[in-house]
Amino acid sequence: MSKVLLITGASAGIGAATAKLAAEAGYDLALNYRSDTQGAETVAESARALGIRAELFQADVADPDQVEAMFKAIDASFGRVDALANNAGIVDQGAPVTEFTHARLKRMFDVNVIGAMLVAKEAVIRMQAQGGGAIVNVSSVASRTGSANEYVDYAASKAAIDTFTKGLADEVAAQGIRVNSLRPGITDTEIHAKGGAPDRAKLLAHKIPMQRPGTSEEIARAILFLLSEDASYITGSTLDVSGGR
Ligand code: NAP
């Protein structure tokens, strides 16, 4: 029986690349997205062309009712969750802390922190019942660098993910569930345009020791590694995939 991998934020960028590589590796896919139905359908169709099952589950991870409904739908469709790529995330317009609004901070933490924690909680409940599983929480090198004058709120939300990863990993390690955090560096996806800086990855390349942004596929390969049996003794870790940054 194929393993079932849930990928949140699978309609674009790193999530979409993870879906492609996971389909090639033989996973069946539960693909979550929030608004980009066309992108999600394209990802699902490409995955199905490789002979695996791929189903779409539209939900805003920041909404607890939608997360619960999504997992009920996954239960009905697949009956299990073996692996989770907890990837959905947002940035906002670059700005100093003095310009942050309450609404901005609330949305950032609702999506990047509470959403990721709710999804992990529901996945763990299923993995405990099944006797094991693996989770990769997608963080960011911003949790180390702090992202001054750009998005300190985003950086802090990812630091929360790193700490959540360690605590959850320790809670569930004896139950055969591994939980790791993966910190991409600057990666060439549409997230920068969504934050108002479409050329950000190119413009900041000189700050990266390897002098170039990462690709979604380079991040996805590391996610697949941490989810795989090759990482069977790795839990509670954070892995930087950042060209040395
Ligand atoms: P992206 O291209 O903007 O894709 C983001 C994905 O997340 C989309 O599928 C989007 O779905 C989904 N999403 C956003 N909000 C959601 C919500 N509330 N509920 C469900 N899905 C939601 O971004 P990316 O660059 O691939 O980023 C993926 C992850 O990597 C994020 O956690 C990000 O913080 C992290 N990361 C990225 C970089 C980078 O440089 N790109 C660096 C470090 C860390 P819809 O479009 O359908 O709404």
Side-chain angles (χ1 to χ4, degrees), residues 7-17 32-40 57-63 66-67 70 86-91 107-108 110-112 115 119 137-142 151 154 157-158 161 182-195 200-201 213-214 216 219 223 241:
I7 305 171
T8 63
S11 59
I14 292 167
N32 158 262
Y33 69 103
R34 185 197 49 181
S35 57
D36 182 3
T37 306
Q38 198 183 334
F57 299 92
Q58 192 274 329
D60 181 340
V61 297
D63 182 326
Q66 292 186 34
V67 170
M70 174 174 79
N86 210 0
N87 164 77
I90 56 166
V91 294
R107 183 67 186 161
M108 188 73 74
D110 276 351
V111 175
N112 288 2
V119 170
N137 294 319
V138 180
S139 172
S140 169
V141 292
Y151 23 67
Y154 171 81
S157 76
K158 294 302 189 179
I161 287 300
L182 187 140
R183 295 196 288 221
I186 297 168
T187 308
D188 197 5
T189 72
E190 290 301 311
I191 200 170
H192 309 293
K194 292 171 190 171
R200 183 173 176 271
S216 293
I219 309 303
I223 292 174
V241 186

Side-chain angles (χ1 to χ4, degrees), residues 64-122:
D65 294 336
Q66 292 186 34
V67 170
E68 204 182 317
M70 174 174 79
F71 272 90
K72 280 192 179 143
I74 293 170
D75 290 342
S77 184
F78 288 101
R80 58 189 298 117
V81 176
D82 300 285
L84 166 64
N86 210 0
N87 164 77
I90 56 166
V91 294
D92 207 321
Q93 307 290 310
V97 172
T98 48
E99 290 178 15
F100 289 176
T101 61
H102 179 263
R104 169 182 169 134
L105 292 172
K106 189 163 183 324
R107 183 67 186 161
M108 188 73 74
F109 278 76
D110 276 351
V111 175
N112 288 2
V113 183
I114 297 177
M117 290 170 86
L118 286 174
V119 170
K121 172 197 149 176
E122 294 295 336

Side-chain angles (χ1 to χ4, degrees), residues 1-69:
M1 188 173 59
S2 297
K3 286 188 174 178
V4 176
L5 167 62
L6 167 60
I7 305 171
T8 63
S11 59
I14 292 167
T18 303
K20 180 174 178 286
L21 295 189
E24 288 168 7
Y27 283 97
D28 283 336
L29 297 177
L31 302 172
N32 158 262
Y33 69 103
R34 185 197 49 181
S35 57
D36 182 3
T37 306
Q38 198 183 334
E41 278 172 357
T42 303
V43 171
E45 277 161 25
S46 309
R48 287 185 200 118
L50 294 166
I52 56 98
R53 275 190 71 194
E55 306 294 338
L56 298 182
F57 299 92
Q58 192 274 329
D60 181 340
V61 297
D63 182 326
D65 294 336
Q66 292 186 34
V67 170
E68 204 182 317

Side-chain angles (χ1 to χ4, degrees), residues 124-223:
V124 162
I125 288 168
R126 283 144 184 92
M127 290 171 183
Q128 284 173 328
Q130 292 161 203
I135 295 174
V136 172
N137 294 319
V138 180
S139 172
S140 169
V141 292
S143 75
R144 278 195 286 104
T145 65
S147 297
N149 294 308
E150 210 175 18
Y151 23 67
V152 170
D153 50 351
Y154 171 81
S157 76
K158 294 302 189 179
I161 287 300
D162 289 347
T163 305
F164 171 62
T165 296
K166 174 60 180 155
L168 177 62
D170 289 358
E171 273 189 24
V172 300
Q175 297 156 13
I177 303 169
R178 295 183 301 101
V179 188
N180 290 292
S181 165
L182 187 140
R183 295 196 288 221
I186 297 168
T187 308
D188 197 5
T189 72
E190 290 301 311
I191 200 170
H192 309 293
K194 292 171 190 171
D199 293 334
R200 183 173 176 271
K202 208 185 303 167
L203 292 175
L204 294 182
H206 67 282
K207 291 193 171 180
I208 304 166
M210 287 179 72
Q211 300 289 298
R212 66 169 180 85
T215 66
S216 293
E217 187 171 323
E218 286 173 312
I219 309 303
R221 281 204 293 266
I223 292 174

